Amino acid sequence: MAQGRGEAAHGAPVAAGPGQAAAIRRRLDALWRIEGARIVAALARATGDVGLAEDAAQEAVAQALEQWGTRGIPRNPGAWITTAARRRAIDHWRREDQLGNRYGQLARAREDEAAVDWDPLPDDVLRLLFTACHPVLAPQAQVALTLRVVGSLRTEEIARLFLVPVATMQQRILRARKSLAAARVPFEVPEPNEWGPRLRGVMHVVYLMFTEGYAATAGETWIRPDLANEALRIGRILAGLVPRVPEVHALVALMEFQASRFAARTGAGGEPVLLPDQDRTRWDRAQIERGRASLARADALAAAAGRSRGSYALQAAIAQCHATAGRADETDWPAIVDLYEALGRISPGDVVELNRAVAVSMASGPEPALAIVERLDARGALRGSHLLPSVRGELLSRLGRVEEARAEFRAAAELAENRHERRLLLLRGQE
């Protein structure tokens, strides 16, 4: 943890120069994406309060935006943010007249950092995950709060993942923070026998973190490898902590398969390269083999317990069908349809049904798939999302209904909030 005061504690600053506010903002955004979760986790360990830790870190970021333009960017920006956030927390305690007790808490936290005792959760970010997924919170609140403080996602991004208004998500996160504070949930390692009630929420958060990293819902980049790789890192640690839980291994398998394609998913300018057009020689074969081994492990554990595949295992099996096809036309689409049907029985949802429609179109043609999409649209599914009109546009195009397809692609482009995805849909709307 950073020591000392001011920029001098982190080395002489590098002059930012006038007119570089936008560059500093980009630097801070990148810093927060990469180090935000670790900064908040370190502060939560020191303060014992997740909400205060996030507030202090955000205030420190605002302070950096104000000061770095005139004083320069410090050599160790992450340490600067952490030190500034600690001071913000101390200021908060001073206002609350709790400073004496809290200094002792900070001292104990530093002693803990230096201790070498066995720790079943050796990673601060994972510890933060388990804290935010405390059973005192409803499952949706657990996931929303954890995506905010661990995934470093903006509230707008989380709202898009849940397909709810931003104001609704803001209130959900605020209530979750208040509930943790009111229950005095400590930032500490839960006993192993307490992991079970929290594990489902932790896995769901890791899954959503990876999903946002795999295909960013908004912004200037098509994928966010830093976020996806952090989710995969946490998933691998989880698999080591609970090695007898099949779905943890299945989740890791799913992420391994999907991440294996990252190098081929974008072109030279960052534009999306869709699955049929990807250069499969650029797929990471070692990662695919790790995915196969993890899925085999999950299947063996489930069989030994007399269970069938769960949601993550079925999704991993779908990803494996893609990852192991030598060419796009060798993909086993009938098997993928069967897997989506099984997934829809245990985890029904509009996105699952839309994906099944895509698989049906590849296995049996666009006409039966369009019927599935029309049923989804008739009941108002995925309203406000670009996903349904983009799929319908593709199906109409394959049926030769060109003008209708163009209209759907244009409608999808209006709803898409990722720059690259919007551009791709606009191009399809002009074909």
Side-chain angles (χ1 to χ4, degrees), residues 179-244:
S179 296
L180 280 185
R184 298 183 179 276
V185 173
F187 183 79
E188 64 182 15
V189 180
E191 294 297 323
N193 60 4
E194 296 176 2
W195 292 356
R198 308 190 198 192
L199 189 57
R200 182 184 297 272
V202 169
M203 291 171 61
H204 191 41
V205 168
V206 171
Y207 171 77
L208 289 176
M209 282 175 60
F210 185 87
T211 299
E212 177 64 19
Y214 180 79
T217 55
E220 299 298 308
T221 58
W222 170 240
I223 60 175
R224 296 174 57 181
D226 54 337
L227 184 61
N229 289 334
E230 176 68 357
L232 180 52
R233 184 187 72 84
I234 293 170
R236 289 169 176 164
I237 294 174
L238 269 180
L241 289 170
V242 285
R244 305 296 299 174

Side-chain angles (χ1 to χ4, degrees), residues 265-318:
R265 292 193 70 233
T266 55
E271 70 278 6
V273 179
L274 300 182
L275 183 60
D277 304 319
Q278 289 173 17
D279 178 359
R280 299 186 178 218
T281 64
R282 300 186 66 197
W283 290 2
D284 188 332
R285 296 295 160 185
Q287 198 155 32
I288 291 171
E289 288 307 309
R290 288 197 295 272
R292 294 176 76 154
S294 292
L295 182 56
R297 175 69 172 159
D299 285 342
L301 287 168
R307 294 186 229 157
S308 56
R309 279 175 164 171
S311 170
Y312 296 126
L314 289 168
Q315 291 180 73
I318 292 167

Side-chain angles (χ1 to χ4, degrees), residues 316-356:
I318 292 167
Q320 181 175 239
C321 287
H322 291 297
T324 56
R327 299 195 312 267
D329 59 7
E330 294 176 354
T331 305
D332 190 348
W333 286 106
I336 292 175
V337 171
D338 290 342
L339 288 165
Y340 270 121
E341 289 175 351
L343 181 60
R345 287 192 291 272
I346 64 171
S347 296
D350 295 334
V351 174
V352 171
E353 188 68 356
L354 186 63
N355 285 333
R356 185 176 76 87

